[in-house]
Amino acid sequence: MFHFGYEAMRSRLRLAAMHFNENANRAQATDKSGDPQYSICFPKAKQGHHTLRKIMSNSTYGYVEQLIGEVIEIAEDHNLSEMSDHSEDAIPPPLSNQFEKPDKTEAIAAHYSRYVTDPIIG
C-alpha cells in the first residue's frame, strides 16, 4: 500500500492543476488534409451503438520549463535549509486522530463474540 504525505499530495495536486490549465483549451487534431479527427468507441451504456469522440492535439508541457526556471531562481537567491524550516501551511493532523483507538484485546474479543452462536440442541 502506498502512502503519500500531505506536502507530497499538495504538490501533486498543484502540478495537476498547472497541467490542466495549460491543456484545457487544446484544439481538435486534424489529419493531413485538414479534416478534424475522431475515434469511434462502443460504450456499454449504448448497448452496441457507437459514439464519436474527438481526438485532441497533443498535450504541451511549457509550464515545466517555467517552473524549473523559478525553482532555480529561488534556489540561487535563498538558502534552501532556511526555506525548508518554514512550511507554507500547517500540516493538518491525520483523519484517524479524530477517533479513539480501542484496546486491541477488547477489539479481538468483540470480533470473535460476533460469530459465536448458541448450538442448536436437536
Side-chain angles (χ1 to χ4, degrees), residues 9-100:
M9 289 303 294
R10 185 176 60 189
S11 299
R12 291 169 59 95
L13 177 67
R14 288 178 177 172
L15 282 173
M18 284 189 270
H19 182 77
F20 177 82
N21 288 341
E22 178 150 331
N23 293 292
N25 297 319
R26 288 186 295 161
Q28 186 173 357
T30 57
D31 58 10
K32 291 179 182 179
S33 63
D35 297 326
Q37 291 183 330
Y38 293 94
S39 66
I40 297 177
C41 41
F42 296 89
K44 289 182 181 180
K46 293 277 189 167
Q47 299 179 354
H49 296 285
H50 68 275
T51 300
L52 288 179
R53 187 176 290 169
K54 293 179 182 179
I55 298 176
M56 306 307 283
S57 60
N58 292 333
S59 297
T60 58
Y61 301 94
Y63 64 95
V64 174
E65 292 176 12
Q66 181 182 0
L67 189 62
I68 290 172
E70 289 183 24
V71 168
I72 291 172
E73 183 178 319
I74 290 171
E76 289 173 349
D77 292 344
H78 302 290
N79 186 356
L80 292 179
S81 62
E82 291 176 6
M83 291 178 61
S84 64
D85 293 339
H86 305 291
S87 180
E88 182 179 315
D89 298 321
I91 298 174
L95 292 176
S96 60
N97 285 358
Q98 298 174 5
F99 306 105
E100 243 183 78

